[in-house]
Amino acid sequence: MSALRTVKGLALACHPGPTVAVTALVTAVAWSAGRAPSGCLLVAATILTGHLSIGWSNDAIDAARDTIVNRQDKPVVRGLVSRRTLAVAAGVMLLVTVPVSLANGIASGLMHLLFVACAWAYNLGLKSTAISWLPYAVAFGGLPSFVTLGTAHVWAPWWATAAGALLGIGAHLANVVPDLADDLATGVRGWPQRLGAYARLIAPIPLAAATGLLVVAPAGAIGVIGWTALAVVAVLLVVIVAWRDAPFLVTIGIAAVSVVALVLRGDALV
């Protein structure tokens, strides 16, 4: 039973939602950019191993803080897995993701390792600074080039890099907003915490800007799907501004539109 509890704890501590979402997104973008099925599997393994190391290190580093505020959604607090186990698992997966990343090619692999390094820097302290947004911007801004360097050996176009950075900033805000009270209670003073209640209103803006770039910047006609994406984002922004208590899922809706736009323009990356 203890082994099963540990496995369950590791599964929950890896932040399964973001881990699955980012792995699926980048793999889908690689597929839409023309990566072969075997290459897509390698991309999935690369992103997954990197994200496992990120999630486990995050919960290991934050274990004491999570215990103080009794975060029952955290496996360490619930006694499912120990902090030491998470730290060891994070270290092992960090070692594993290095050769897996480089199997995509040196340049592509280094771009993914930059992503992982930014996430670890965030976990290790940047999350409590005014530039907590920067690791997200750099990491997500580099993901399109991770795909293109491994597929066509070229850098991603500027609009894809900029859109990725904006998605990262929006993801940072969207990820932190639900936990603002707990973060402030334990002394975390990153950018979203300093924004306070305004963070909820600001979060959709970089996501909407990313969608706009992904629809308008690539060469060719915008098309019906592009105009539809812009219209949906515009409506959601109006809802957030006009409806003070709009569900946070509205912001997630904008993020979803951004992600779909990125996947649909994967062919324009290369």
Side-chain angles (χ1 to χ4, degrees):
M1 285 298 290
S2 60
L4 288 176
R5 286 174 62 86
T6 299
V7 170
K8 181 179 180 180
L10 287 170
L12 293 174
C14 77
H15 299 208
T19 296
V20 171
V22 176
T23 300
L25 165 64
V26 180
T27 303
V29 172
W31 169 78
S32 67
R35 195 80 179 258
S38 59
C40 289
L41 288 176
L42 179 59
V43 167
T46 302
I47 301 299
L48 179 61
T49 54
H51 247 70
L52 289 176
S53 79
I54 294 165
W56 287 335
S57 67
N58 180 271
D59 272 28
I61 293 166
D62 288 350
R65 184 181 298 117
D66 292 336
T67 301
I68 291 173
V69 295
N70 195 29
R71 288 281 301 273
Q72 287 299 310
D73 59 320
K74 294 295 186 178
V76 173
V77 178
R78 291 165 56 187
L80 295 175
V81 66
S82 69
R83 182 179 186 179
R84 181 178 182 278
T85 298
L86 285 179
V88 170
V92 169
M93 200 52 62
L94 181 62
L95 292 176
V96 170
T97 202
V98 173
V100 175
S101 297
L102 296 177
N104 292 274
I106 299 299
S108 179
L110 289 176
M111 289 305 297
H112 178 255
L113 293 177
L114 172 64
F115 178 98
V116 175
C118 286
W120 272 74
Y122 176 85
N123 290 344
L124 288 169
L126 284 181
K127 68 185 297 179
S128 295
T129 70
I131 59 169
S132 60
W133 57 271
L134 185 59
Y136 273 82
V138 173
F140 280 84
L143 278 181
S145 285
F146 161 68
V147 171
T148 59
L149 287 168
T151 302
H153 309 293
V154 295
W155 292 96
W158 69 269
W159 51 264
T161 301
L166 288 167
L167 279 172
I169 294 171
H172 174 39
L173 288 165
N175 183 55
V176 170
V177 165
D179 301 324
L180 279 177
D182 287 343
D183 288 342
L184 291 172
T186 54
V188 177
R189 295 282 297 170
W191 180 49
Q193 291 83 8
R194 295 168 194 238
L195 290 173
Y198 293 106
R200 176 187 154 277
L201 292 174
I202 295 175
I205 297 175
L207 297 172
T211 304
L213 267 179
L214 291 168
V215 170
V216 175
I222 293 178
V224 174
I225 295 178
W227 285 116
T228 301
L230 292 177
V232 169
V233 167
V235 170
L236 293 178
L237 283 174
V238 171
V239 170
I240 290 172
V241 173
W243 185 8
R244 188 175 184 84
D245 297 320
F248 193 63
L249 284 176
V250 177
T251 297
I252 302 304
I254 296 177
V257 175
S258 302
V259 167
V260 170
L262 179 57
V263 173
L264 291 176
R265 297 319 300 255
D267 60 334
L269 291 177
V270 294

Short mmCIF file of all heavy atoms in Angstrom, two decimals, residues 189-223:
data_model
loop_
_atom_site.label_atom_id
_atom_site.label_comp_id
_atom_site.label_asym_id
_atom_site.label_seq_id
_atom_site.Cartn_x
_atom_site.Cartn_y
_atom_site.Cartn_z
N ARG A 189 6.00 36.89 -2.97
CA ARG A 189 5.67 38.22 -3.48
C ARG A 189 6.15 38.35 -4.92
O ARG A 189 6.95 39.21 -5.26
CB ARG A 189 6.31 39.30 -2.61
CG ARG A 189 5.79 39.36 -1.18
CD ARG A 189 4.45 40.07 -1.13
NE ARG A 189 4.58 41.46 -1.56
CZ ARG A 189 3.55 42.25 -1.80
NH1 ARG A 189 2.32 41.78 -1.72
NH2 ARG A 189 3.73 43.51 -2.16
N GLY A 190 5.64 37.47 -5.78
CA GLY A 190 5.96 37.57 -7.19
C GLY A 190 5.13 38.66 -7.84
O GLY A 190 4.38 39.38 -7.19
N TRP A 191 5.25 38.76 -9.17
CA TRP A 191 4.52 39.80 -9.90
C TRP A 191 3.01 39.70 -9.72
O TRP A 191 2.36 40.71 -9.41
CB TRP A 191 4.90 39.72 -11.38
CG TRP A 191 4.23 40.75 -12.24
CD1 TRP A 191 4.13 42.09 -12.01
CD2 TRP A 191 3.56 40.50 -13.49
NE1 TRP A 191 3.43 42.69 -13.04
CE2 TRP A 191 3.08 41.75 -13.95
CE3 TRP A 191 3.33 39.36 -14.26
CZ2 TRP A 191 2.38 41.88 -15.15
CZ3 TRP A 191 2.65 39.48 -15.46
CH2 TRP A 191 2.17 40.73 -15.88
N PRO A 192 2.40 38.52 -9.87
CA PRO A 192 0.94 38.45 -9.69
C PRO A 192 0.49 38.84 -8.28
O PRO A 192 -0.54 39.50 -8.11
CB PRO A 192 0.62 36.97 -9.97
CG PRO A 192 1.75 36.48 -10.79
CD PRO A 192 2.95 37.22 -10.27
N GLN A 193 1.27 38.42 -7.27
CA GLN A 193 0.91 38.77 -5.90
C GLN A 193 0.99 40.28 -5.67
O GLN A 193 0.18 40.84 -4.92
CB GLN A 193 1.83 38.05 -4.91
CG GLN A 193 1.63 36.54 -4.85
CD GLN A 193 2.38 35.80 -5.94
OE1 GLN A 193 3.18 36.39 -6.68
NE2 GLN A 193 2.14 34.50 -6.05
N ARG A 194 1.91 40.93 -6.32
CA ARG A 194 2.04 42.38 -6.19
C ARG A 194 0.89 43.10 -6.91
O ARG A 194 0.49 44.19 -6.52
CB ARG A 194 3.38 42.85 -6.75
CG ARG A 194 4.57 42.31 -5.94
CD ARG A 194 5.89 42.53 -6.66
NE ARG A 194 6.95 41.74 -6.04
CZ ARG A 194 8.07 42.25 -5.54
NH1 ARG A 194 8.29 43.55 -5.59
NH2 ARG A 194 8.97 41.46 -5.00
N LEU A 195 0.37 42.46 -7.95
CA LEU A 195 -0.77 43.04 -8.66
C LEU A 195 -2.06 42.89 -7.85
O LEU A 195 -3.00 43.68 -8.00
CB LEU A 195 -0.96 42.35 -10.02
CG LEU A 195 0.10 42.62 -11.08
CD1 LEU A 195 -0.14 41.72 -12.29
CD2 LEU A 195 0.10 44.09 -11.50
N GLY A 196 -2.11 41.87 -7.02
CA GLY A 196 -3.29 41.65 -6.19
C GLY A 196 -4.51 41.31 -7.03
O GLY A 196 -4.46 40.51 -7.96
N ALA A 197 -5.63 41.97 -6.73
CA ALA A 197 -6.89 41.69 -7.42
C ALA A 197 -6.82 42.01 -8.91
O ALA A 197 -7.59 41.46 -9.71
CB ALA A 197 -8.02 42.48 -6.77
N TYR A 198 -5.90 42.90 -9.29
CA TYR A 198 -5.78 43.26 -10.71
C TYR A 198 -5.22 42.12 -11.56
O TYR A 198 -5.37 42.12 -12.78
CB TYR A 198 -4.89 44.49 -10.87
CG TYR A 198 -5.49 45.75 -10.30
CD1 TYR A 198 -5.00 46.28 -9.11
CD2 TYR A 198 -6.55 46.40 -10.92
CE1 TYR A 198 -5.55 47.44 -8.57
CE2 TYR A 198 -7.10 47.56 -10.39
CZ TYR A 198 -6.60 48.07 -9.21
OH TYR A 198 -7.15 49.20 -8.68
N ALA A 199 -4.57 41.16 -10.91
CA ALA A 199 -3.98 40.05 -11.66
C ALA A 199 -5.03 39.30 -12.47
O ALA A 199 -4.79 38.87 -13.60
CB ALA A 199 -3.27 39.09 -10.71
N ARG A 200 -6.22 39.16 -11.89
CA ARG A 200 -7.30 38.44 -12.58
C ARG A 200 -7.72 39.16 -13.86
O ARG A 200 -8.04 38.53 -14.87
CB ARG A 200 -8.49 38.30 -11.64
CG ARG A 200 -9.70 37.65 -12.27
CD ARG A 200 -10.90 37.69 -11.32
NE ARG A 200 -12.14 37.66 -12.09
CZ ARG A 200 -12.71 38.72 -12.63
NH1 ARG A 200 -12.15 39.90 -12.51
NH2 ARG A 200 -13.83 38.60 -13.32
N LEU A 201 -7.73 40.50 -13.82
CA LEU A 201 -8.13 41.27 -15.00
C LEU A 201 -7.02 41.34 -16.05
O LEU A 201 -7.29 41.41 -17.25
CB LEU A 201 -8.53 42.69 -14.58
CG LEU A 201 -9.80 42.82 -13.74
CD1 LEU A 201 -9.99 44.25 -13.29
CD2 LEU A 201 -11.02 42.34 -14.54
N ILE A 202 -5.78 41.31 -15.58
CA ILE A 202 -4.65 41.43 -16.50
C ILE A 202 -4.34 40.10 -17.19
O ILE A 202 -3.89 40.08 -18.35
CB ILE A 202 -3.41 41.96 -15.76
CG1 ILE A 202 -3.67 43.39 -15.27
CG2 ILE A 202 -2.16 41.91 -16.63
CD1 ILE A 202 -2.57 43.97 -14.41
N ALA A 203 -4.60 38.98 -16.52
CA ALA A 203 -4.24 37.66 -17.04
C ALA A 203 -4.70 37.41 -18.48
O ALA A 203 -3.94 36.86 -19.29
CB ALA A 203 -4.77 36.56 -16.11
N PRO A 204 -5.93 37.79 -18.86
CA PRO A 204 -6.38 37.49 -20.23
C PRO A 204 -5.69 38.31 -21.31
O PRO A 204 -5.70 37.92 -22.48
CB PRO A 204 -7.88 37.82 -20.20
CG PRO A 204 -8.24 37.91 -18.76
CD PRO A 204 -7.02 38.37 -18.05
N ILE A 205 -5.09 39.45 -20.93
CA ILE A 205 -4.55 40.37 -21.94
C ILE A 205 -3.41 39.76 -22.74
O ILE A 205 -3.43 39.77 -23.97
CB ILE A 205 -4.15 41.70 -21.29
CG1 ILE A 205 -5.38 42.39 -20.70
CG2 ILE A 205 -3.45 42.61 -22.30
CD1 ILE A 205 -5.09 43.66 -19.94
N PRO A 206 -2.35 39.21 -22.09
CA PRO A 206 -1.28 38.60 -22.90
C PRO A 206 -1.76 37.40 -23.68
O PRO A 206 -1.27 37.14 -24.79
CB PRO A 206 -0.22 38.21 -21.85
CG PRO A 206 -0.94 38.18 -20.55
CD PRO A 206 -2.01 39.21 -20.65
N LEU A 207 -2.74 36.67 -23.15
CA LEU A 207 -3.29 35.53 -23.87
C LEU A 207 -4.02 35.99 -25.13
O LEU A 207 -3.87 35.40 -26.21
CB LEU A 207 -4.24 34.73 -22.97
CG LEU A 207 -3.61 34.11 -21.73
CD1 LEU A 207 -4.70 33.52 -20.82
CD2 LEU A 207 -2.60 33.03 -22.12
N ALA A 208 -4.80 37.05 -25.00
CA ALA A 208 -5.51 37.60 -26.16
C ALA A 208 -4.52 38.15 -27.19
O ALA A 208 -4.70 37.98 -28.40
CB ALA A 208 -6.47 38.69 -25.71
N ALA A 209 -3.46 38.83 -26.71
CA ALA A 209 -2.45 39.36 -27.62
C ALA A 209 -1.75 38.23 -28.37
O ALA A 209 -1.44 38.36 -29.57
CB ALA A 209 -1.44 40.19 -26.83
N ALA A 210 -1.51 37.12 -27.68
CA ALA A 210 -0.89 35.97 -28.34
C ALA A 210 -1.79 35.43 -29.45
O ALA A 210 -1.32 35.12 -30.55
CB ALA A 210 -0.62 34.86 -27.31
N THR A 211 -3.08 35.34 -29.17
CA THR A 211 -4.02 34.88 -30.18
C THR A 211 -4.00 35.80 -31.40
O THR A 211 -3.98 35.35 -32.55
CB THR A 211 -5.45 34.80 -29.62
OG1 THR A 211 -5.45 33.95 -28.47
CG2 THR A 211 -6.42 34.25 -30.65
N GLY A 212 -4.01 37.12 -31.13
CA GLY A 212 -3.98 38.08 -32.22
C GLY A 212 -2.75 37.92 -33.09
O GLY A 212 -2.84 37.93 -34.33
N LEU A 213 -1.59 37.74 -32.47
CA LEU A 213 -0.35 37.54 -33.24
C LEU A 213 -0.42 36.27 -34.09
O LEU A 213 -0.04 36.27 -35.27
CB LEU A 213 0.84 37.44 -32.29
CG LEU A 213 1.62 38.71 -31.98
CD1 LEU A 213 2.74 38.40 -30.99
CD2 LEU A 213 2.20 39.31 -33.25
N LEU A 214 -0.89 35.20 -33.49
CA LEU A 214 -0.93 33.92 -34.18
C LEU A 214 -1.90 33.92 -35.36
O LEU A 214 -1.72 33.19 -36.32
CB LEU A 214 -1.31 32.80 -33.20
CG LEU A 214 -0.24 32.49 -32.14
CD1 LEU A 214 -0.82 31.59 -31.05
CD2 LEU A 214 0.97 31.83 -32.77
N VAL A 215 -2.92 34.75 -35.27
CA VAL A 215 -3.91 34.83 -36.35
C VAL A 215 -3.48 35.80 -37.44
O VAL A 215 -3.59 35.51 -38.64
CB VAL A 215 -5.29 35.24 -35.78
CG1 VAL A 215 -6.26 35.56 -36.91
CG2 VAL A 215 -5.86 34.13 -34.90
N VAL A 216 -2.95 36.96 -37.04
CA VAL A 216 -2.69 38.04 -37.99
C VAL A 216 -1.29 38.01 -38.59
O VAL A 216 -1.10 38.31 -39.77
CB VAL A 216 -2.93 39.41 -37.29
CG1 VAL A 216 -2.55 40.55 -38.22
CG2 VAL A 216 -4.38 39.53 -36.85
N ALA A 217 -0.26 37.66 -37.80
CA ALA A 217 1.12 37.81 -38.24
C ALA A 217 1.56 36.86 -39.35
O ALA A 217 2.31 37.28 -40.25
CB ALA A 217 2.06 37.70 -37.04
N PRO A 218 1.19 35.58 -39.33
CA PRO A 218 1.66 34.69 -40.40
C PRO A 218 1.19 35.14 -41.78
O PRO A 218 0.13 35.77 -41.91
CB PRO A 218 1.04 33.34 -40.02
CG PRO A 218 0.74 33.43 -38.58
CD PRO A 218 0.39 34.87 -38.33
N ALA A 219 1.98 34.81 -42.79
CA ALA A 219 1.61 35.17 -44.16
C ALA A 219 0.34 34.44 -44.58
O ALA A 219 0.05 33.35 -44.11
CB ALA A 219 2.76 34.81 -45.10
N GLY A 220 -0.41 35.06 -45.47
CA GLY A 220 -1.63 34.44 -45.99
C GLY A 220 -2.88 35.06 -45.40
O GLY A 220 -2.82 35.87 -44.46
N ALA A 221 -4.01 34.69 -45.96
CA ALA A 221 -5.29 35.23 -45.51
C ALA A 221 -5.63 34.71 -44.11
O ALA A 221 -5.25 33.60 -43.73
CB ALA A 221 -6.39 34.82 -46.48
N ILE A 222 -6.32 35.55 -43.35
CA ILE A 222 -6.70 35.18 -41.99
C ILE A 222 -7.70 34.02 -42.01
O ILE A 222 -7.59 33.07 -41.23
CB ILE A 222 -7.29 36.40 -41.24
CG1 ILE A 222 -6.19 37.44 -41.02
CG2 ILE A 222 -7.90 35.98 -39.91
CD1 ILE A 222 -6.68 38.70 -40.34
N GLY A 223 -8.66 34.07 -42.88
CA GLY A 223 -9.62 32.98 -43.02
C GLY A 223 -10.72 33.02 -41.97
O GLY A 223 -10.66 33.77 -40.99
#
